[in-house]
Amino acid sequence: MSDPVSVSPFSRLGIVVGMEAEASLIRPFLPQARFGLSGATLSGARQAVLDLLEGGVDALLSFGLAAGLDPALAPGAVVMPAHVMVNGERIAASPALLGWLGANRADVMAGDLLHSDVIVTAAARKAELFRQTGCVALDMESGVVAEMAAARRVPFAVMRVVCDPADRTLPPAAVVALRPDGSLAVGALARSILCNPLQIPALIRVGRDAGEARKAARAVLARRFG
């Protein structure tokens, strides 16, 4: 008999991620799901969602890392928002899908998530967005998932893990360092460091935070599906 925890209430789940490295975190736990990779671009996110919808998925999950907006959230904080805010509108996630994912757990944050069309790197800008919206975290795929799912009347949810906290301004090298598949763009990284060697300590912190986020993502998935 199938374990009811590991069986989705939706038979054809589609998962949207920014990078292949994020997909690799969740794929072992949900191997039957279909994946859409955005490449961390707005056009890529739209195409990924469209491909999944046209392929017949009956639910969508936006999964991966996020920027913290709430200063209380440390790297590794897991956010499963009740709403995604995109273009000033708050779009409700599916309670059934959230419940199956374990959004009611004490170690999961339920505050709303903000969509952004661009990468937000500056701590001052994160603080401004938190004051303006009250959203606890931000990413670049969830708003696309929410809007397109709502238009098709397909249930959706979001599971995101804070990587860079609200008080952290990302160094320039962190923005250019990753390719869409999650591998290092070594040339771009080296050029950025050569131009500004003083960013090396900040880069080390970014790497440590990313490690904490990946560890937390695996842990919450293992508790729910392992």
Side-chain angles (χ1 to χ4, degrees):
M1 186 174 180
S2 296
D3 179 357
V5 171
S6 61
V7 176
S8 169
F10 307 96
S11 61
R12 300 182 305 279
L13 178 65
I15 302 177
V16 179
V17 297
M19 299 182 295
E20 175 57 35
E22 293 168 316
S24 69
L25 293 172
I26 192 171
R27 187 179 284 114
F29 298 96
L30 297 171
Q32 302 305 316
R34 307 176 192 184
F35 284 83
L37 176 68
S38 78
T41 67
L42 184 61
S43 61
R46 288 174 177 151
Q47 189 62 53
V49 176
L50 180 61
D51 289 345
L52 288 170
L53 290 170
E54 293 297 325
V57 300
D58 59 359
L60 287 169
L61 172 64
S62 173
F63 174 82
L65 305 182
L69 298 181
D70 184 343
L73 299 188
V78 178
V79 180
M80 297 189 203
H83 301 86
V84 173
M85 186 173 182
V86 52
N87 296 325
E89 178 185 5
R90 294 181 192 264
I91 304 175
S94 162
L97 191 50
L98 285 172
W100 173 69
L101 290 166
N104 59 348
R105 293 177 59 97
D107 55 355
V108 172
M109 285 290 302
D112 290 350
L113 181 136
L114 180 65
H115 170 82
S116 175
D117 289 347
V118 298
I119 297 174
V120 176
T121 61
R125 179 58 176 158
K126 295 179 194 175
E128 180 184 14
L129 290 171
F130 183 55
R131 288 193 300 270
Q132 290 174 347
T133 69
C135 292
V136 300
L138 169 151
D139 74 27
M140 295 177 63
E141 288 85 33
S142 295
V144 176
V145 171
E147 284 192 320
M148 295 181 71
R152 294 286 190 99
R153 298 190 178 183
V154 171
F156 82 93
V158 176
M159 180 189 291
R160 291 279 166 166
V161 183
V162 172
C163 183
D164 53 300
D167 62 355
R168 184 75 43 80
T169 293
L170 292 177
V175 180
V176 302
L178 287 179
R179 296 190 180 100
D181 64 359
S183 63
L184 278 177
V186 177
L189 178 62
R191 286 190 295 272
S192 182
I193 292 174
L194 284 172
C195 289
N196 181 11
L198 296 179
Q199 65 182 309
I200 291 175
L203 273 175
I204 293 171
R205 288 193 297 271
V206 169
R208 184 179 62 233
D209 292 345
E212 287 296 321
R214 288 191 294 268
K215 180 180 176 182
R218 292 190 188 97
V220 75
L221 289 165
R223 285 193 294 269
R224 190 60 177 164
F225 303 111

